[in-house]
Amino acid sequence: MLLPSLLAVLLAQAPLTTTAERSNWTRTGRYAEVEALCRDFPKAFPGKVRCETFGTTPEGRPMLALVVSTDGTLTPAANAKKGRPVVFFQGGIHAGEIDGKDAGFWLLRDVLAGKALPGVLGQVTAVFVPVFNIDGHERFGPNNRPNQVGPEEMGWRVTAQNLNLNRDYVKADAPEMVAMLTFLHAWNPLFYIDLHVTDGAKFEHDISLTLEPLRSGPEPLRAQGAKLQEALVTGLQSEGYLPVTFYPSFIKEDDPASGFAEGVAPPRFSQTYWAVNGRFGMLVETHSWKPYAHRVKSTRNVLENSLKFVAANGAAMQAAVKAADAAAEAGQVREATLTWDHTDKSHLIDFRGYAYSFEPSPISNEKVVRYDETKPQVWKVPLFDEVRPKLTIPLPKGGYLVPAAHAAWMEAKLRAHGLRYQKLEKEVPAAEVEAFRSTEAKFSPQSYEGHQTLTVQGAWKRETQALPAGSLYVPVAQPGVALLAHLLEPMGPDSLVTWGFFNPHFEQKEYIETYVLEPYARELLAKDAAVKAAWEARLKDPAFAADPRARLRFFYERHPTYDARFNLYPVFRLDAPPAGLRPAR
């Protein structure tokens, strides 16, 4: 056995090693090391590796990826021509959680040197982004992750613009995210892996895998997802790791007895975003209280077994994806589920934790949980693992119409998401559409990720509306239809309405004075029996009867000057493409 000092000397002299390896997994390198390795890998393995710059961060740093294929299939076009499956994995979306960076370099070097996965990268193309949140990575320090064991210093959770990239997949605010989505859709990977480190309680389990489609998505994709998850869990267990297949966050904070719940995250998160694109996405979370060496090695295990599985099963996975794409392209997808929930059914599981107690805190004046890591303990806790749709909406027969006033910024979003659309060249003065009018609109009291979010209730109803020239028509008959529904169906948790992009349309802009409305109300009641009956019915509601503003609004909504566009979502649904569209982009 090599002495640690001799091993360190040999590693320091070895090519393509990382700071993490040279420090015996106590430190991680700065972004300059990523740049150097990205240059050096293609030199060491010519024709098998390409270093690609796919964007620039707000602080001017290059966004880099290593593309690896032992037979030189190193571009999206070459890969598509061969029908080669792509496994795309990224580290550092939260740059303090940096296990994926060091695991990825370590694994790819060993594969290219013939020390691991013989033949696999002749069957699969690997695309590796060592650090997604690069500016955050360079906000380097020893105190950025108080609930994490190593490395000694690491980056920061969010970007230089203070945006959390793993909440940005749908709204795509960050320049880094726009670059990533463009790159991701260009490569069109079969499997997209996002590498993290979790926070939370102390327990023995060391890694969690959250994969979709598994609970959601087309059934053939779910079946393949189940096989993939089983293989990865088996691979981890065979090397002594303790994986779980749900995010290990207690239902009630700091209360192990409350147990865990499975679910389907909204597509603001990486794994669900790629799943609603009809491919496979996985969130990997090593456990923050395990040493850095342990976490990096378990991450490498997941990557190694992911590449191996796709090499062996890629054809079946691709066939399921192709069938789902064909059904969507043919317009056979007629509904989309926007939110999921777990039922009240649960069963007890054995979960390997530690003895714990609750002690009164003189600081918070509450009880605080204390874990005793010297006393491993098997917890019998409930797992709520029956997941069901909560909000499912029927899709329009034809597509969505985005008005010209919003076309410029919407076009950029659609391009980033790889969605097809066409532009209306001539106005359609009167078209039958489905329009959504909000019956309730609630603005959040504070911003979230730079947005004042909005929750709306309402329904789509038939109306006649003008369609201005320059409007965008987005057909539902395309592979990204589920993502399209998440973007444009207003009641979805990640819709552009919910994120606040259309807030001005739900703000009242014009008013009428009470002294003008009063005589109109009296006159209307005297001459319109239907209005009078509706008024008397509303007065039976004590809350309405006691609210002067609500009483006045009843008549304002019937006044000729009332803004007919107030609370009207300006995106319409159409049964068929309108006349006068340019050819699809």
Side-chain angles (χ1 to χ4, degrees), residues 144 364 437:
N144 290 348
S364 66
R437 293 183 180 273

Side-chain angles (χ1 to χ4, degrees), residues 169-395:
Y169 275 87
V170 175
K171 61 185 176 65
D173 285 333
E176 297 98 322
M177 181 57 73
V178 174
M180 174 61 80
L181 293 177
T182 303
F183 190 56
L184 189 63
H185 284 281
W187 273 103
N188 189 25
L190 184 64
F191 191 18
Y192 179 34
I193 307 171
D194 190 13
L195 304 167
H196 288 247
V197 183
T198 189
D199 295 323
K202 292 186 177 182
F203 43 72
E204 289 193 296
H205 293 278
D206 47 13
I207 191 166
S208 72
L209 310 178
T210 309
L211 190 148
E212 292 296 338
L214 185 64
R215 303 157 190 86
S216 64
E219 188 55 44
L221 294 181
R222 295 190 195 196
Q224 293 295 324
K227 292 178 183 177
L228 173 56
Q229 177 179 274
E230 182 181 4
L232 297 179
V233 168
T234 299
L236 285 163
Q237 290 173 335
S238 71
E239 294 191 17
Y241 298 105
L242 299 173
V244 294
T245 56
F246 51 86
Y247 190 84
S249 178
F250 301 135
I251 292 174
K252 184 178 178 182
E253 186 177 0
D254 286 339
D255 183 2
S258 65
F260 307 96
E262 295 189 6
V264 178
R268 71 188 66 171
F269 297 98
S270 59
Q271 76 278 11
T272 308
Y273 175 80
W274 205 234
V276 299
N277 279 277
R279 278 84 179 127
F280 299 89
M282 183 169 68
L283 172 70
V284 178
E285 295 268 4
T286 57
H287 190 41
S288 61
W289 292 108
K290 299 298 182 286
Y292 191 51
H294 183 102
R295 300 199 320 264
V296 173
K297 289 172 185 175
S298 65
T299 301
R300 172 180 165 139
N301 178 289
V302 172
L303 295 176
E304 195 164 350
N305 283 297
S306 294
L307 291 166
K308 187 188 302 183
F309 183 91
V310 174
N313 300 276
M317 297 171 74
Q318 286 177 310
V321 166
K322 186 176 180 180
D325 280 355
E329 190 74 58
Q332 295 172 8
V333 178
R334 300 305 317 139
E335 64 180 25
T337 297
L338 303 180
T339 60
W340 299 77
D341 199 4
H342 61 83
T343 70
D344 292 333
K345 292 183 180 179
S346 67
H347 61 94
L348 292 178
I349 61 169
D350 290 339
F351 192 86
R352 291 176 58 167
Y354 299 106
Y356 65 93
S357 60
F358 293 97
E359 301 175 5
S361 167
I363 305 301
S364 66
N365 201 30
E366 293 180 318
K367 288 188 175 181
V368 178
V369 66
R370 305 290 184 198
Y371 297 97
D372 185 347
E373 294 176 80
T374 68
K375 297 178 180 178
Q377 187 179 82
V378 176
W379 301 337
K380 289 192 176 295
V381 296
L383 175 64
F384 295 82
D385 59 355
E386 184 179 76
V387 178
R388 64 185 175 191
K390 185 177 180 181
L391 175 62
T392 299
I393 53 92
L395 294 170

Side-chain angles (χ1 to χ4, degrees), residues 34 54 89 106-107 177 197 222 241 248 351 406 409 449 492 497 518 555 584:
V34 173
F54 64 93
F89 48 100
W106 178 27
L107 173 62
M177 181 57 73
V197 183
R222 295 190 195 196
Y241 298 105
F351 192 86
H406 292 280
W409 68 263
E449 288 299 311
V497 168
E518 267 281 334
F555 294 101

